[in-house]
Amino acid sequence: MISLRSAVLVALSASAIAQTQQSKPAQPTQFFALPQMTEAQQQNFPPQLLEELQRIKSAALTDDYAYRQVAHLTENIGPRPSGSMQARAAEEYVASELKQLGLDVQLEDVKVPRWVRGPETAELVGYPGQVSGTSQKIVLTALGGSSSTPPDGMTADVVVVNNFDELKALGREKVAGRIVLFNEIFDKQKAAAGMAFAAYGEAVRYRGAGPRAALEFGAIAALVRSVGSADYRLPHTGFSFPAGIPAGAVTAEDADLIAHLAAQGKVRMHLTLTPQKYPDGIGHNVIADLKGSEHPEQIVVVSGHLDSWDLGTGAIDDGAGVAVAMEAAELLQKLHLHPKRTLRVIAWMDEESGGAGSQAYTKDYASEFVRHTAAIESDAGAGHPMGFDARISPVATNLLQPVLDVLQSFGASALQPSPYPPGADIAAMSETGVPAFGILQDGRKYFDYHHTAADTLDKIVPSDLRENAAAMAIMGYALASMKDPLPR
Ligand SMILES: [Zn+2]
């Protein structure tokens, strides 16, 4: 991209040449007209507010508050699956940090599932060309909500399908009593081209619905090829609709191995997945308000989810999101800025294993959604922010241009219209018409680590995290302090 400045210079010199050639005054063209604010933009974003947004930006880009928060959440507390002691400790930690900042903090009860991973192994015990007395190790992990095999495992033939149609075509006769492997390949080219979430959406259907589909045809266990973009033989866990059979994700490499061998003949697997389900527990959404100075009853939500999968330490998914939401409040307090509306920081519980936190909030606050004037969630990692995915009206998009101009200097000025709610935890709000935003991070590497043991603190680049905190704080404060609530 060329910068606005060089574009203007090019235009000016072109017009100077044109002037000498035609010796008549050049008409100003739209191309080099300087951007002017509309009346509505000027009213909503007076000079003082724009200056405050600039101050937030400068402070955010040199602040390490968010990094310290995510470091504590991931390294001192660790993985935070719903219903775990670490999730509980993380709720207490975030609540106490936000209290220390001077926010009004509540813990909202959330009934959460408790599912705990056990030992998990697999090996191929029969396959074409097998060397007598040997087996081949398969690297895999149980999917969230999976049932358990017997403690010493189960042995069955494996059938490989590339999609649901192939499963149907095989029919009950060829599936019953076997282990089904869904070998849907994650589209890495799509991810590399900046469409990682589209690639994820295509492949994740099999993780979500595959086990139930396999059960319909009598399968005794279901495996999926890991939904991810890296090649380090890492399995990716994630939510799957409980089917009542063992369900796991094998690595991409192991999916290839099984598929190649199955194309040559019979493949038999010994599979051991031993997770346990316990009765539901009580978790909490952490809800912390920085009260609005003029319209405290109007709410702008800034948020991320506090729970994580158990394999890694939940750094990019989504300790980072919680940390940047916390920093939005920290920056305003540090700079003594008072939003007109209430800025509400939410650390959501249970995004990963069913969304009970978002459901509890909807149940408790639905009657107030008319006064929720906007909601932001960061749940797409900690990569460089390019702007926001937004499910908002065209009028609202146009109105926010002065805010995008503030975000421009660090490359975060995209406002991409989203047909879907841009965040799982704010989806219910978005469905009732609350303007909803998700930080639009560079996601090209996100699915290398997503839901794996490698989702750890080192994957967060501190300068990228600062930009994310800047984006969250600038947009959050702008939405909370613009003159009128953002139009729906
Ligand atoms: Zn997440």
Side-chain angles (χ1 to χ4, degrees):
M1 292 223 301
I2 61 169
S3 71
L4 178 63
R5 194 184 143 76
S6 48
V8 168
L9 286 175
V10 168
L12 286 175
S13 54
S15 91
I17 292 164
Q19 243 183 70
T20 33
Q21 281 172 347
Q22 298 167 13
S23 68
K24 64 178 185 188
Q27 295 302 307
T29 70
Q30 219 181 348
F31 184 55
F32 61 90
L34 289 172
Q36 266 198 336
M37 285 210 268
T38 63
E39 207 174 302
Q41 289 169 348
Q42 279 173 21
Q43 275 174 6
N44 273 286
F45 299 101
Q48 190 194 330
L49 176 53
L50 292 176
E51 186 266 333
E52 288 169 350
L53 295 178
Q54 294 291 353
R55 282 170 60 202
I56 294 171
K57 178 169 74 179
S58 306
L61 294 177
T62 54
D63 194 324
D64 67 350
Y65 180 86
Y67 193 83
R68 283 187 277 121
Q69 301 313 315
V70 72
H72 187 89
L73 289 172
T74 56
E75 297 202 322
N76 299 88
I77 294 176
R80 304 169 300 283
S82 282
S84 66
M85 290 193 314
Q86 294 102 315
R88 186 80 198 93
E91 294 161 0
E92 291 295 339
Y93 173 76
V94 171
S96 119
E97 288 294 306
L98 292 170
K99 259 180 216 156
Q100 253 181 55
L101 291 177
L103 276 65
D104 184 2
V105 181
Q106 326 155 39
L107 292 176
E108 178 186 34
D109 283 2
V110 178
K111 199 169 128 191
V112 290
R114 282 197 301 149
W115 175 89
V116 180
R117 188 178 303 283
E120 43 192 23
T121 59
E123 51 279 331
L124 300 184
V125 294
Y127 46 91
Q130 179 183 25
V131 176
S132 170
T134 68
S135 62
Q136 289 239 51
K137 178 179 166 146
I138 294 298
V139 180
L140 86 175
T141 195
L143 294 176
S146 164
S147 296
S148 184
T149 63
D152 51 2
M154 55 167 58
T155 303
D157 291 350
V158 182
V159 289
V160 181
V161 295
N162 292 306
N163 51 51
F164 291 124
D165 289 341
E166 287 186 20
L167 178 73
K168 254 184 229 158
L170 282 176
R172 203 172 174 88
E173 196 191 322
K174 291 186 176 140
V175 173
R178 296 181 174 84
I179 298 168
V180 171
L181 168 62
F182 291 93
N183 191 29
E184 159 83 13
I185 296 175
F186 183 95
D187 190 338
K188 287 189 224 170
Q189 280 77 16
K190 204 169 260 180
M195 293 185 279
F197 279 83
Y200 181 67
E202 287 162 9
V204 80
R205 293 177 295 157
Y206 294 91
R207 192 189 80 203
R212 282 189 180 176
L215 176 69
E216 265 180 52
F217 292 91
I220 57 165
L223 300 174
V224 296
R225 181 185 181 106
S226 280
V227 182
S229 46
D231 296 314
Y232 298 106
R233 212 175 178 185
L234 277 175
H236 297 240
T237 190
F239 179 79
S240 181
F241 291 105
I245 55 174
V250 302
T251 71
E253 292 85 345
D254 289 277
D256 281 343
L257 172 70
I258 296 166
H260 295 162
L261 293 175
Q264 296 166 25
K266 203 159 103 133
V267 172
R268 225 170 144 68
M269 176 184 279
H270 183 69
L271 173 68
T272 308
L273 298 174
T274 60
Q276 295 296 316
K277 274 182 201 165
Y278 295 96
D280 287 347
I282 294 293
H284 303 89
N285 291 325
V286 183
I287 301 174
D289 286 353
L290 185 55
K291 280 271 178 289
S293 57
E294 289 180 23
H295 304 290
E297 77 292 353
Q298 295 178 10
I299 309 278
V300 171
V301 171
V302 293
S303 67
H305 70 83
L306 191 51
D307 64 302
S308 77
W309 283 105
D310 55 338
L311 298 174
T313 57
I316 60 171
D317 190 11
D318 180 31
V322 170
V324 300
M326 291 170 79
E327 188 175 310
E330 187 260 351
L331 288 163
L332 301 196
Q333 293 296 65
K334 193 163 79 175
L335 299 171
H336 307 291
L337 294 175
H338 307 289
K340 286 194 175 72
R341 300 179 185 84
T342 294
L343 187 86
R344 173 170 287 177
V345 180
I346 306 181
W348 302 101
M349 186 42 59
D350 194 47
E351 189 277 334
E352 297 292 4
S353 42
S358 158
Q359 286 158 27
Y361 189 81
T362 302
K363 191 159 153 273
D364 294 348
Y365 290 93
S367 65
E368 295 174 30
F369 283 179
V370 287
R371 294 192 300 275
H372 281 53
T373 70
I376 313 177
E377 179 163 23
S378 173
D379 185 20
H384 163 66
M386 300 178 291
F388 291 85
D389 271 325
R391 198 184 193 201
I392 59 177
S393 69
V395 178
T397 304
N398 183 270
L399 203 54
L400 289 173
Q401 188 57 47
V403 185
L404 304 181
D405 292 342
V406 175
L407 296 166
Q408 166 95 51
S409 71
F410 59 100
S413 62
L415 195 56
Q416 186 166 279
S418 169
Y420 309 106
D425 298 295
I426 59 171
M429 274 184 257
S430 173
E431 296 297 0
T432 69
V434 177
F437 299 78
I439 300 186
L440 174 63
Q441 282 98 354
D442 179 347
R444 286 176 297 173
K445 292 259 185 284
Y446 184 60
F447 292 102
D448 288 5
Y449 310 120
H450 180 253
H451 296 185
T452 73
D455 177 2
T456 46
L457 183 64
D458 55 294
K459 306 307 181 305
I460 295 180
V461 176
S463 57
D464 288 343
L465 191 70
R466 285 190 201 109
E467 292 176 348
N468 276 289
M472 182 71 99
I474 290 167
M475 187 58 86
Y477 186 71
L479 293 166
S481 291
M482 59 195 290
K483 181 167 160 285
D484 303 317
L486 192 67
R488 295 192 166 202

